[in-house]
Structure formats: C-alpha cells, structure tokens
Amino acid sequence: MDGQASPDSLACYRRAAELLEWLARSSDPVTRDVPVALLAAGAYQLAGLPAMATSLLRQGRYGAGIAEIFADFLSADFDSLLKHCALFWRDHPELTGRSGSAGVLDAADLADDETDDPANDDDAAGLQRRAADRRESPVGWYVLVELIRVVGLLGDAVRRGSQGRVEQALNKLSDLNMLATRLSSEELWILINLIESTAKRFADNSLHGRVRRLAENTPNQQARMWRFAREQFARGRGVLWASQVQGLERLIANSSFALCTPTGSGKTLVANLALVKELLLVDAQPGDAPLGLYLVPSRALASEIETKLTAELGGDLVVTGLYGGADWGITDYWLTADRAVVLIATVEKAEALLRYVGHLLTQRMRLLIIDEAHQVVSEDDATTRDALAAHTSRAMRIEAMVTRLLANKPGMARIALTAVAGGAARPVARWIEGRADAEPVGIGYRSSRQLIGALRVASRRVPEAILDIMNGQMLYVRGRDQPVYLPLRIPAMPDPAAPVRDSLPHFTELYVLWTALHLLEGGRRVLISVAQAPERLMKRYAEAFAFANWQNVPPFAPPTDADGLARYQEARLACLDYCGPDSFELRLLERGIATSHGQMPQRLRRLMTDLIDRRICPITVATATLTEGVNLPFDIIFLTSLERRSFDPLTGQPVVVPMSTAEFRNLAGRAGRPGAAQSIEGITLVAVPEAIS
C-alpha cells in the first residue's frame, strides 16, 4: 500500500526472503513445483538485496535442469543464462520454429487438469517434473516454455541495452503473469511475479541508461560508452545496486559529492564513471589534456586500483601510479602527454609531487577522488592529540593538502569515497562539497549479511562463535538471557606445549588458525587480520604445522587446472626468490595460506592477492596494508587482537593503543562481501580466550 520501494515494503520483502531462505536451508520438501531457493532469491531481489540473492543461489539449493535458467536470471548472470537457454532449445528443437510454442496447445483443452494437492504429486522434481509431465499439463508446459523464452530475451536485451526489446519482453512477461493467474500452479505464478518484478528492476537499474545520459552532450563518445557498459555486464556489474544508482544520479547532476556506503556496495564503479565523465567526455584543448588525481591510503589499494583501471580504461586513459617502489618519476611522459591521465597516489607521494611540479598538475587537474575519505575526520582521543602535537597526523595532512588544491582550483570536481564514515559522513560531505547543507549519498545501504561477535576458545573445549550484532542491530533471542551462539562442529584443538598454553596471545592465535583450517568446506575464504608484528604470527603458524598432534588438519591441495597451477607455482617461486627457502611466507604458502604485509615486495604481494582472488589460497594472514580498502571478499574474518603495543614518544614507556572504531568498521566490512564464496555468512569474530571473554 505504501509503494513497492517504500522502506516498510522493502523490510517486508526482506523478512519474507529470510523466512524462505530458512526453508531452503532446512532441505524439507515444502514446495511442489518451484524450488523454494528460487522464491527466496526473488524476494531478496524485490527487497533490493541482489548480493543476498546471488550468494544463496551459488549454494546450488535449487537442483539442476530448467531451474538453472531461472537461477541465472535471478542472479543477473546473463552469460550463464544464455548458455543454459541455448542448451534448452538444443534439447527441444520442436519449440524453435516460427510457430514457437503454439504446437504445445494444439491438443490441449483450455483448462488445466493439475491439482495443488501434494499427495497427488509425490515426486518432488519440481520444474523438471513439470517438463516431464507436459503431455498431462500442456498449459503449464506452455507457460514454462514461454517463461524460458522471455527470460532469455530479457537477459540478452538488458546486457546489450536494447530498450525496445526489453519493453517487448516485459509486456510479454506481464501477459504470462495474467495467464498463469488462472491456468497454472500457484508456485509457478509466484515465481513469474518475482521474475517480472526483478526484470523491471534490471531494466530500471541497467548501466546502459546511465552511461547514455552521461554521454548526451558528446555524441562521438556514445559508441565507446556503450562498449564500457557492455564490458561491465561481462564482469557482472551491469545491473546497478541501490547505492550505485544514488551515486550515478548524483554524478549526472553534480560533479562533487561524498559517497558513503559499506564495503562491497559498488563505489569503485561510480569512481570509474566519474573519471570517464571528467576526463573523456570533455572537449579538451590541444596541449591541455585533463588529469585526475586518485588519492588512496595505502600502496596495496593503489596497486589494485591501477591494475583494474588499466584493464578497464587503459585504452582511453594514461593510468599511472606513484605509491612507492618502482613507480614513475617527475620527468615522465604523463606530465606532458596529450591524452587524459589518471594519477593514483598515496597522500605522502602526492604531497611530495605537488611540491615539485604542482603548477603542472593543477592547471590540468579536472577531478580529485579521495578514497577512504573518513580518515580526514579524527577521533577525539589521546592518540590523535599526540599525533597532532608531533605533526604526524594523517588526517591533518590529507585535509591540508586537499585544501591547498581546492584553493588553487576551486572549480575542480571532487568525490569522496568511504565505506565506514558513520558519524563522519556529513562532515566529509560538507568538506568535499564546500557547502554547509551538503548531504552524503548512500548511507545505510548494505546488500550482504554481516555478523559480528567473538570466538570463545578454551583448552580441551570446542570453540563457540558468540554472535552479538547482525546488520548493525543487536542480536538476541527473545525471552533468553544467553547470547546467540554457533556450536562449531570441529574438533577441539589438541593441547599445545606448556610455553604456548601459558601464553594467552599465543594460545588464542593458534586456536584461530585451527578453527580457520576446519571451516573451509563449501568454498569459504578466511582472513586472519594482524594488528602488528606479522612476522611473529607467521612464525607461530609455520611452527604449528610441525606439532605432532597437528598432523590430521585438513591438507592443502594445489589447483588442478593448468592456469591455476601455473599461478600458484609462479607465486611459490617468487616467494622462494624474495623470502628464502626457510621463510615463514613460503612455508605457509605451501600449506595454502597466503600472506601480505608492508615489507613484502610489490610483485610478490600482487601474486599473493591473485591467489586469494582466484580462491587458490583459502586462508589469508594479512596486515592493514592488504585489508584497508582492497576489494578482496572473505566469508569470515578473525581479529587476533583489538590492540597494538607502542611506546609513548614523550615518556618512552610502553602503551597499549586500542583499535579505532573506523579501523574495526573497515575490517568488519570485508566479511560477507558479494562474491565471497558459496555462502552468505559475513562473520567477523574477535578471538578471545575463555578466561577474559
């Protein structure tokens, strides 16, 4: 009654989807014709949660055959959809002539003889059974065939941006919905309703429409923009999420804004299109090619952005990076190039560069993108005050440099990207836009599930996952005092030697590794985040595999495909070359554990990241150099500590520095990112021993 997109409606759709998902996971035969997982995925799409729909369907709880076609559509996997449609038409050539499915109804009455009584349909083969029983139920078979025909048309038309064909498919889908209302089973009618609503959302949120509007004033770039959108569909990013729709609508209307959405909600695509708008869709004068500065907090993130931008826009832009290591110098080609340039730099590198060639940069600069912009807002604590006094505050450095840039070029477009702004969202928006009434874009949207809690461990006891927060809300069972917990079905860790057992940090860290090794089934990927001293943790983990009672841990199997094996061997040889034959990095890699830290050579770090991305190494041990902003999806994240040990520069005494709220939010946001694995657990656990839990 409030409208399909109202907050209350979306909440109802989400609740319905969660109930249907619970039924799908229960494996009980609760439906007759349509797998309940398809209904759950359709409800998640209706609620604007496409990542939840995709993750559920990746678990394969819907069977095979015809159901795969609808699962592909509800996952927006159009390439797989067209492949399965082609297989269906190959198996049913009699349905592909000019008369289409008309022959199915030639011998049929206008009434459907089927019944909704499950007792008369004992075989639970669902959609596949309906295909087998098409002679007894020709109208139901006709509806199913035409539904396959129309979703195939929709998949191809949406990814190509063929608006006329999309509208034709939607009209036909509406007609099928009306037909199924009276002549087909209720389950199939519900599925058609969900597919129709999802199809309308796909059509409304297609990237083609946005890039077409961006290129309205540059007709000569229309073909290139169509190719850009088509490439995004091939990467699975062509149907926009709610946060991306908001970001691109603001980008079309205004060139400066702050986009504040959780990790994995599509900020990178908005940033890429901002580069396209400001650097490509402009009429540049000869000798005045536009330049965009992309500020990032870490070298790992700079490397990732440079690699992805080169792959997507390297043919149109000069993409280069200044972030340490073997990078470009101040006399290089990009300074005077006649092509548009994207310069990716850490704040420290950009600050140094502006001192040397600031006049050359600012006169060409059209766009400033600040990733992880929440860092400009400091927390009011002793650590921040000490950093300000010592002139080492990163927040002050970012603010000062950006302020100088905007003072020299006030009309420059600028975009702030952040996943964990929280209370800093509005200050960041007002700062980046320069207006007191500025509002950020996309607050509160998260398409994946997130759970935060503690891993409670104790000697000779199976660990428990205590869950405290789900999707930002406290999690509890009404009427119970006990917390929500998961009794992990793994064996208890064998008692280590006395020196390990008597050290709480050492014991806890080993239990985290033991738990991670036993939670890899189903294709899960696990991140073990290290606050400091990664070499100590890697040493403890490498030595743990030599314990006599650790011989039965699940073994690591190198990839069997030629390409994956080649990448693994390349990373292993590079690790051997850079770190040595007895290094902890190599010993862990041979156990299927990737590592990443600030002292690791850039090439080896890239190879490790590739192993993580390809699912070759299911466990990762990394510091913030990897996790701060890098788009690697993990199902479960373990934090071995929420504190760092440091020294007070004034007194010289050791102090304990707690992890900031922003750091914790950033790490927690990595769990449950879309595409993580074949599950939708987004679990972040802080490992604590029983004595202090």
Side-chain angles (χ1 to χ4, degrees):
M1 293 173 64
D2 295 337
Q4 186 170 334
S6 68
D8 286 344
S9 297
L10 296 178
C12 288
Y13 300 147
R14 177 170 188 151
R15 183 56 178 157
E18 289 170 345
L19 293 171
L20 288 166
E21 180 196 341
W22 180 76
L23 290 172
R25 289 174 176 267
S26 71
S27 300
D28 292 330
V30 294
T31 55
R32 185 175 61 89
D33 293 325
V34 178
V36 69
L38 294 183
L39 303 181
Y44 275 129
Q45 287 285 4
L46 207 59
L49 300 169
M52 299 288 283
T54 301
S55 298
L56 176 62
L57 293 174
R58 280 181 177 171
Q59 299 177 65
R61 297 178 180 272
Y62 52 82
I66 293 175
E68 289 182 304
I69 296 174
F70 303 123
D72 290 337
F73 181 79
L74 292 171
S75 302
D77 188 352
F78 299 129
D79 290 343
S80 180
L81 167 67
L82 295 177
K83 181 186 73 173
H84 285 119
C85 283
L87 293 175
F88 176 81
W89 300 123
R90 183 200 65 186
D91 295 337
H92 301 87
E94 73 279 3
L95 302 173
T96 60
R98 292 181 60 87
S99 60
S101 308
V104 175
L105 299 178
D106 286 346
D109 296 327
L110 292 180
D112 194 347
D113 296 330
E114 64 181 302
T115 174
D116 285 334
D117 184 3
N120 295 331
D121 298 281
D122 291 332
D123 56 336
L127 294 170
Q128 204 66 21
R129 177 189 54 76
R130 178 172 290 279
D133 292 349
R134 54 187 177 271
R135 292 183 181 177
E136 289 75 16
S137 179
V139 174
W141 173 239
Y142 172 83
V143 171
L144 194 59
V145 170
E146 290 304 299
L147 186 58
I148 294 171
R149 199 185 304 276
V150 77
V151 296
L153 174 60
L154 274 166
D156 186 63
V158 168
R159 70 173 189 158
R160 292 179 180 273
S162 305
Q163 190 61 31
R165 298 174 70 216
V166 170
E167 292 176 359
Q168 184 180 12
L170 289 175
N171 290 335
K172 184 171 182 179
L173 193 54
S174 179
D175 293 340
L176 274 177
N177 191 1
M178 295 177 64
L179 177 65
T181 303
R182 300 190 58 172
L183 300 178
S184 191
S185 74
E186 291 181 352
E187 291 174 15
L188 185 56
W189 172 71
I190 293 173
L191 178 64
I192 295 174
N193 267 279
L194 293 173
I195 287 176
E196 182 181 10
S197 298
T198 302
K200 290 178 180 177
R201 195 186 73 81
F202 287 171
D204 292 339
N205 295 346
S206 171
L207 181 59
H208 281 289
R210 269 70 186 186
V211 299
R212 195 179 297 118
R213 290 167 59 192
L214 276 175
E216 281 179 350
N217 298 325
T218 52
N220 60 318
Q221 292 286 347
Q222 289 281 2
R224 177 63 187 94
M225 295 303 292
W226 181 90
R227 291 199 306 275
F228 176 83
R230 183 66 185 84
E231 290 163 1
Q232 296 303 312
F233 271 95
R235 293 183 171 93
R237 301 199 295 261
V239 177
L240 302 175
W241 293 3
S243 55
Q244 293 174 317
V245 170
Q246 295 179 37
L248 291 182
E249 290 296 330
R250 181 70 71 90
L251 178 64
I252 293 170
N254 187 7
S255 295
S256 299
F257 59 93
L259 181 60
C260 306
T261 60
T263 300
S265 55
K267 294 184 297 295
T268 303
L269 178 61
V270 178
N272 290 357
L273 279 170
L275 292 169
V276 169
K277 176 187 176 182
E278 300 297 337
L279 305 185
L280 292 180
L281 303 180
V282 293
D283 295 325
Q285 300 298 322
D288 188 28
L291 182 144
L293 178 61
Y294 204 130
L295 293 179
V296 295
S298 65
R299 290 183 294 173
L301 181 55
S303 174
E304 183 201 26
I305 291 174
E306 182 181 7
T307 301
K308 292 185 175 180
L309 273 179
T310 301
E312 296 187 21
L313 297 172
D316 305 287
L317 304 170
V318 177
V319 181
T320 186
L322 284 167
Y323 46 85
D327 52 23
W328 296 60
I330 63 172
T331 59
D332 284 311
Y333 160 74
W334 61 268
L335 280 171
T336 57
D338 289 331
R339 296 173 59 198
V341 173
V342 181
L343 175 61
I344 306 160
T346 56
V347 176
E348 293 77 11
K349 281 284 186 175
E351 199 174 30
L353 190 65
L354 287 171
R355 292 196 185 101
Y356 285 102
V357 290
H359 62 291
L360 294 177
L361 292 180
T362 53
Q363 69 181 8
R364 294 177 54 191
M365 198 175 297
R366 298 284 188 87
L367 174 64
L368 173 66
I369 298 177
I370 308 173
D371 207 348
E372 304 296 324
H374 61 274
Q375 294 185 353
V376 78
V377 181
S378 301
E379 295 192 9
D380 186 13
D381 54 24
T383 303
T384 301
R385 290 190 288 271
D386 291 343
L388 285 171
H391 303 283
T392 59
S393 171
R394 187 180 183 89
M396 184 62 70
R397 180 179 296 154
I398 296 173
E399 184 176 359
M401 189 190 74
V402 172
T403 301
R404 290 198 304 270
L405 278 174
L406 298 182
N408 290 328
K409 199 151 188 178
M412 176 176 57
R414 57 262 191 194
I415 296 175
L417 307 175
T418 175
V420 294
R426 283 181 176 81
V428 167
R430 293 166 186 166
W431 171 65
I432 203 68
E433 291 191 45
R435 296 187 298 110
D437 60 344
E439 290 292 331
V441 179
I443 289 182
Y445 176 80
R446 182 181 179 86
S447 182
S448 54
R449 180 177 296 141
Q450 182 190 58
L451 293 165
I452 297 176
L455 178 72
R456 188 161 59 190
V457 299
S459 181
R460 300 188 183 91
R461 283 179 53 185
V462 174
E464 287 184 340
I466 307 298
L467 304 178
D468 299 312
I469 299 173
M470 185 171 78
N471 299 330
Q473 303 293 325
M474 295 303 297
L475 187 63
Y476 63 93
V477 178
R478 189 183 296 115
R480 294 186 186 178
D481 295 331
Q482 294 84 2
V484 178
Y485 67 95
L486 295 177
L488 302 180
R489 302 178 188 279
I490 66 175
M493 184 180 76
D495 262 355
V500 176
R501 193 171 58 250
D502 294 341
S503 169
L504 277 178
H506 197 165
F507 176 81
T508 303
E509 289 166 356
L510 287 189
Y511 223 131
V512 166
L513 177 61
W514 176 269
T515 305
L517 288 167
H518 288 83
L519 291 179
L520 299 181
E521 61 176 302
R524 293 189 183 99
R525 283 189 285 188
V526 178
L527 169 66
I528 302 175
S529 180
V530 190
Q532 63 180 163
E535 66 283 350
R536 181 179 61 195
L537 184 70
M538 290 189 297
K539 176 178 183 293
R540 290 175 173 177
Y541 281 0
E543 292 174 346
F545 286 103
F547 293 167
N549 46 13
W550 276 56
Q551 301 306 311
N552 294 326
V553 297
F556 168 67
T560 55
D561 62 291
D563 186 45
L565 183 60
R567 298 298 290 177
Y568 174 75
Q569 293 294 352
E570 182 182 2
R572 185 184 177 281
L573 291 174
C575 191
L576 178 66
D577 185 33
Y578 284 118
C579 304
D582 297 324
S583 63
F584 306 129
E585 291 89 346
L586 180 62
R587 290 162 64 182
L588 290 177
L589 182 60
E590 291 174 342
R591 294 283 185 171
I593 301 175
T595 53
S596 180
H597 52 81
Q599 302 304 313
M600 184 173 284
Q602 191 70 20
R603 176 171 175 264
L604 181 55
R605 188 184 302 163
R606 288 182 178 179
L607 289 170
M608 290 286 190
T609 301
D610 189 48
L611 295 184
I612 301 167
D613 206 32
R614 291 170 178 260
R615 306 176 185 272
I616 293 174
C617 289
I619 298 178
T620 303
V621 176
T623 60
T625 57
L626 176 74
T627 57
E628 190 169 34
V630 178
N631 291 320
L632 289 174
F634 297 97
D635 295 286
I636 302 174
I637 296 178
F638 290 105
L639 309 183
T640 56
S641 176
L642 292 178
E643 298 174 338
R644 292 189 184 90
R645 298 192 177 275
S646 184
F647 285 89
D648 189 318
L650 299 179
T651 65
Q653 298 299 315
V655 294
V656 175
V657 181
M659 180 181 291
S660 69
T661 303
E663 287 179 290
F664 182 80
R665 283 178 176 168
N666 183 49
L667 278 170
R670 306 289 149 190
R673 287 194 70 250
Q678 296 173 352
S679 64
I680 39 182
E681 302 117 348
I683 303 179
T684 302
L685 297 173
V686 181
V688 293
E690 176 73 18
I692 60 173
S693 63

